[in-house]
Amino acid sequence: MIQTKLIPRTAEAIEPPMLIKNLLAQSLKYEPHREIIYRDLFRMNYVEFNRRVRQLANVLTERGIGPGDTVAVFDWDSHRYLECFFGVTSLGAVLHTVNVRLSSAQILYTMNHAQDKAVLIHEDFLPILNAVRGQLTTVDEFILLSDKVYTGEEPAIPAGFAGEYEHLLKSASDVYAFPDFDEDTWATTFYTTGTTGNPKGVYFSHRQLFMHTMGLMTYLCGYQAVPFSSVQDVYMPITPMFHVHAWGFPFLATMLSTKQIYPGRYEPEMLLKLLMKEGVTISHCVPTILNMLVNSPVAKQVDLSRWKVIIGGSALTKGLAKAALDLGIQVYQGYGMSETAPVMSITHLNDLERQLPIDQQVDLRTRAGRIAPFIEMRLMDDNGNFVPHDGHSIGEVVARGPWLTQGYYEDPERGSELWKGGWLHTGDVASLTPDNWLQIADRTKDVIKTGGEWVSSLDIEDLLSQVEGVAEAAVVGFPDERWGERPHALIVQKPDAGLTVAGIKASLQAKIDQGHLNKWYLPDQIVFVPEIPKTSVGKIDKKRIRSEMKTLILG
């Protein structure tokens, strides 16, 4: 870093730190009457929301939770979770968003590793807690979250719990002055699983989450990558709030005092009901959820033309994109990872590209997006050399930016591996165009090496998704004595599609015969399955598929 001349500072001058409480403060400035809604059970405006956040801070403080303490949350996507995003962190405490889809053993590990001191838990998840409660080493306080209080029922309070969330809030003072502290203070943590070892603790500071919010606002509200207007838009996440803070969108929506809808447990009927009743215009989800909604009979009976959906977690295939666009849904692809908070790119159509017919936009909308503001992204080969951004050369995606995690909690070795050479290594292989379009080829561990060629499993999945009658597809490499590896595919077909293996192969073979497709892309075997294994956050679980390959493929 070069030597520069720093600005002189007046002793009395104050420069407020970038804190989450300052994002919250904006929500009262311009549109405090707008609503935050939970299913069909609870509604409030931003005045009430701010009051409840202060009450939550008092509830926690009265129970000994202070700066540096970790508070774990088990909940569906709800207004309560949103209150924790602000109430816990603005105390100077650390919010641990627990992945409820992990195994009991993994959840126990993460809670003890994070040194959780208090637990806020929905009654639906009490069986998980009961399985590990006797082995928790640091938890002192338990608070119950229940939907029964919104229907006039009295929830049963388990032994050892301080009480039920709503009752505790009502009895707490709504006066609380959130303190200033260093913007590099630890704000949130959650755990991401890999192929080996225990889950890794990812962590973010107030400054990082503040800057991620500024980056989202710049890209969505300024550059209009996915047009976001606090006046016209209604936001509903369909990505779990435990997964990278629902991709950071709740922070942005709250800062802008946007109308927000929280759907709780994901149920197609409830999602579509809220979508129509509350006028939802912008959401984000993994392809699995969009596929479920697109194929719901109700979807074809309602007007979805105002709905914008950002897809992440897995690749948006052309088949799914076309199905969504046919229903009027404006779909966009985003890219990032748990360690990047997560947004690093989102589909951005420039003035010329927006004029293309919608069917010609599919190729652009299914790329991984254009690089987000303030993110520096490069491609690197196995020797640490940078690869040209010519749209053809491929390399591992590496990145720098103001909101990327600095490592893994109490795991310096894996943190150093993540940041080898001063760049965050994603493990994704991609190409970059001169005008900043990112196209993911595959995960480094999922690229299929066959007959001397590198074949993208994502490309084959994309081709299969375009075959009429295919609902979902997953492709993995399987060892082959002659060719090294060969692609094998799992297919979920739409109801009454009547697909055959021969028919699918013939469709792909026609593209090969016409010179549109390399012969190496034709899967050796195609197996029809009722569902494709998914990870805890809805991604195709290729690790599990490989482990079950002998059963799924070879029989």
Side-chain angles (χ1 to χ4, degrees):
M1 189 172 294
I2 65 170
Q3 186 67 35
T4 58
K5 186 175 183 180
L6 301 178
I7 62 168
R9 294 183 177 272
T10 302
E12 293 79 12
I14 295 176
E15 186 174 291
M18 299 180 190
L19 300 177
I20 290 172
K21 72 165 187 172
N22 294 327
L23 299 177
L24 175 66
Q26 310 312 308
S27 68
L28 290 175
K29 284 187 176 179
Y30 309 111
E31 305 289 350
H33 60 282
R34 290 196 182 133
E35 289 186 307
I36 298 170
I37 298 160
Y38 175 53
R39 292 174 77 86
D40 50 3
L41 297 173
F42 184 85
R43 312 174 77 95
M44 63 180 164
N45 62 24
Y46 276 92
V47 175
E48 176 71 1
F49 174 71
N50 276 261
R51 185 178 70 83
R52 287 168 59 89
V53 170
R54 296 192 298 270
Q55 288 176 307
L56 172 59
N58 277 311
V59 167
L60 295 173
T61 301
E62 289 166 6
R63 277 150 188 81
I65 304 301
D69 291 329
T70 303
V71 177
V73 176
F74 294 70
D75 198 7
W76 305 110
D77 288 4
S78 73
H79 61 299
R80 297 171 299 233
Y81 222 141
L82 186 67
E83 288 159 4
C84 290
F85 271 31
F86 292 91
V88 173
T89 59
S90 295
L91 283 175
V94 179
L95 176 66
H96 175 194
T97 56
V98 178
N99 183 343
V100 297
R101 297 172 185 163
L102 297 179
S103 68
S104 295
Q106 289 174 317
I107 288 174
L108 173 64
Y109 171 81
T110 66
M111 295 180 72
N112 285 337
H113 189 260
Q115 301 176 58
D116 295 337
K117 186 171 182 180
V119 176
L120 282 66
I121 184 166
H122 191 284
E123 56 196 354
D124 287 354
F125 303 119
L126 286 176
I128 298 175
L129 178 63
N130 293 337
V132 303
R133 187 170 175 179
Q135 302 172 70
L136 296 174
T137 57
T138 57
V139 177
D140 296 328
E141 296 288 336
F142 298 92
I143 294 174
L144 182 70
L145 310 176
S146 174
D147 290 350
K148 292 178 180 176
V149 295
Y150 306 123
T151 59
E153 301 176 70
E154 279 298 321
I157 309 299
F161 274 57
E164 187 278 325
Y165 185 89
E166 287 292 341
H167 293 162
L168 291 171
L169 255 61
K170 287 178 181 177
S171 63
S173 169
D174 63 1
V175 177
Y176 197 100
F178 289 115
D180 278 341
F181 41 76
D182 193 298
E183 62 190 29
D184 288 325
T185 295
W186 191 352
T188 65
T189 191
F190 53 85
Y191 284 74
T192 181
T193 56
T195 55
T196 59
N198 289 316
K200 303 185 292 291
V202 179
Y203 50 86
F204 294 96
S205 69
H206 282 254
R207 183 182 188 278
Q208 287 171 318
L209 296 179
F210 191 103
M211 287 303 301
H212 185 266
T213 305
M214 296 301 105
L216 276 180
M217 182 173 65
T218 302
Y219 210 20
L220 304 187
C221 305
Y223 290 111
Q224 296 278 287
V226 181
F228 190 114
S229 164
S230 66
V231 176
Q232 299 171 346
D233 282 304
V234 177
Y235 165 69
M236 181 173 74
I238 320 180
T239 303
M241 297 179 80
F242 65 71
H243 186 219
V244 207
H245 328 106
W247 301 354
F249 280 77
F251 290 117
L252 175 63
T254 301
M255 186 190 76
L256 297 175
S257 54
T258 302
K259 181 180 177 181
Q260 300 186 64
I261 317 297
Y262 286 88
R265 183 200 295 263
Y266 295 160
E267 300 162 336
E269 295 79 9
M270 177 58 70
L271 291 173
L272 287 167
K273 176 182 177 181
L274 292 171
L275 188 68
M276 302 311 299
K277 179 183 176 183
E278 303 298 344
V280 174
T281 63
I282 185 166
S283 299
H284 47 78
C285 64
V286 295
T288 306
I289 297 293
L290 181 62
N291 189 63
M292 175 184 70
L293 293 171
V294 164
N295 287 297
S296 169
V298 180
K300 297 177 176 59
Q301 302 169 17
V302 296
D303 180 9
L304 299 174
S305 61
R306 297 183 65 241
W307 196 28
K308 296 165 285 191
V309 181
I310 303 167
I311 296 297
S314 297
L316 173 63
T317 63
K318 291 184 176 66
L320 181 55
K322 288 176 180 176
L325 290 166
D326 286 344
L327 292 172
I329 303 168
Q330 296 297 306
V331 287
Y332 306 82
Q333 177 82 58
Y335 169 71
M337 53 193 296
S338 297
E339 292 84 347
T340 65
V343 174
M344 290 203 294
S345 67
I346 295 178
T347 298
H348 179 274
L349 303 176
N350 62 28
D351 292 343
L352 297 177
E353 292 159 345
R354 282 193 292 271
Q355 296 175 25
L356 294 172
I358 199 70
D359 60 336
Q360 294 182 31
Q361 293 182 16
V362 169
D363 176 64
L364 297 175
R365 289 175 183 264
T366 53
R367 296 182 185 182
R370 272 193 165 109
I371 303 172
F374 314 124
I375 288 292
E376 185 179 2
M377 188 180 292
R378 304 290 295 273
L379 302 176
M380 189 176 285
D381 65 19
D382 292 341
N383 297 316
N385 301 312
F386 290 123
V387 173
H389 297 180
D390 55 16
H392 304 289
S393 303
I394 64 171
E396 183 189 8
V397 178
V398 297
R400 292 172 176 167
W403 53 74
L404 311 188
T405 191
Q406 298 298 293
Y408 298 115
Y409 181 48
E410 293 188 342
D411 195 346
E413 183 175 336
R414 286 199 283 189
S416 296
E417 182 181 349
L418 177 71
W419 277 97
K420 183 180 178 180
W423 291 85
L424 185 144
H425 289 251
T426 66
D428 290 314
V429 176
S431 62
L432 270 166
T433 66
D435 55 350
N436 296 310
W437 278 105
L438 176 69
Q439 181 63 57
I440 301 295
D442 223 328
R443 294 288 294 169
T444 53
K445 61 180 178 293
D446 293 332
V447 173
I448 300 168
K449 307 169 187 67
T450 179
E453 298 283 340
W454 289 64
V455 173
S456 166
S457 66
L458 300 182
D459 284 350
I460 304 176
E461 290 166 3
D462 191 52
L463 289 164
L464 291 170
S465 77
Q466 297 174 65
V467 175
E468 186 69 28
V470 171
E472 281 190 287
V475 174
V476 296
F478 194 58
D480 183 272
E481 289 186 6
R482 183 178 182 186
W483 303 114
E485 284 185 312
R486 289 293 299 141
H488 293 254
L490 304 183
I491 297 288
V492 176
Q493 57 180 316
K494 295 177 181 178
D496 304 319
L499 293 174
T500 65
V501 170
I504 293 175
K505 285 194 171 184
S507 177
L508 297 182
Q509 186 63 50
K511 294 181 181 293
I512 293 172
D513 294 343
Q514 295 164 13
H516 301 313
L517 185 64
N518 189 302
K519 66 178 181 178
W520 301 110
Y521 280 72
L522 183 66
D524 272 17
Q525 294 196 44
I526 296 174
V527 175
F528 293 109
V529 293
E531 63 179 1
I532 289 172
K534 304 291 196 312
T535 69
S536 63
V537 293
K539 299 179 182 180
I540 293 175
D541 191 344
K542 295 192 176 181
K543 174 187 175 184
R544 180 178 160 193
I545 291 173
R546 289 190 191 93
S547 71
E548 300 173 353
M549 188 68 76
K550 290 183 180 179
T551 300
L552 293 171
I553 299 295
L554 300 181

